[in-house]
Amino acid sequence: MNLNQITISVRDVAKSMVFYEHLGLELIVKSLPTYARFQCPMGDATFSLHQSDQQINDSTWIYFEVDNLDAKVNELLGLGFEFDELPNDKPWLWREARLKDLDNNQLILYYAGVNRKNPPWRI
């Protein structure tokens, strides 16, 4: 199996589309007002937004790996993004920064390198 795409529900696809474009994703499908799909700048995965009028689940956590995390966070801060947590080293050997999207989904920008799939405690 290969993870191809993640789709999350948002209240306003057009507003969220702008947010994720500024975050650095490349818009490849625009079907407003109900759908948008992005290509990640690294790898083959895609990320989609689907409009929903139902209460949005704020327990979704989305991880985007970034080679130069600190520089990316500084760039986003310059664009007006607000972070809940600036880049810091985690006990699981990842460097992470955290922010929320417009629907309160938790976004984690991180760099893990070899520890992403091969931490010292891997089975």
Side-chain angles (χ1 to χ4, degrees):
M1 259 189 280
N2 183 29
L3 180 61
N4 175 326
Q5 174 172 303
I6 298 291
T7 300
I8 64 169
S9 296
V10 297
R11 289 183 187 91
D12 187 325
V13 172
K15 286 182 181 177
S16 292
M17 187 179 73
V18 172
F19 176 92
Y20 282 99
E21 280 183 300
H22 285 127
L23 191 66
L25 301 181
E26 179 187 346
L27 184 67
I28 59 172
V29 175
K30 181 178 177 181
S31 186
L32 296 177
T34 59
Y35 184 80
R37 185 181 323 153
F38 302 88
Q39 179 175 308
C40 295
M42 297 170 26
D44 292 325
T46 57
F47 178 77
S48 300
L49 308 172
H50 181 268
Q51 194 277 327
S52 176
D53 292 325
Q54 297 177 4
Q55 183 171 348
I56 304 297
N57 179 352
D58 66 356
S59 65
T60 299
W61 290 30
I62 305 156
Y63 286 76
F64 291 108
E65 189 162 20
V66 179
D67 283 337
N68 193 338
L69 177 63
D70 292 70
K72 182 64 174 179
V73 168
N74 284 331
E75 172 191 329
L76 294 172
L77 287 168
L79 292 173
F81 281 82
E82 294 182 20
F83 281 78
D84 300 322
E85 191 175 308
L86 292 173
N88 65 90
D89 296 324
K90 299 296 186 182
W92 47 91
L93 305 178
W94 293 19
R95 185 159 179 80
E96 296 184 359
R98 296 177 182 217
L99 69 156
K100 301 266 175 74
D101 74 2
L102 302 177
D103 290 283
N104 217 29
N105 292 303
Q106 179 70 64
L107 305 181
I108 297 98
L109 304 183
Y110 76 99
Y111 178 74
V114 69
N115 292 311
R116 179 175 165 264
K117 288 187 174 180
N118 295 297
W121 49 85
R122 180 181 169 144
I123 299 172

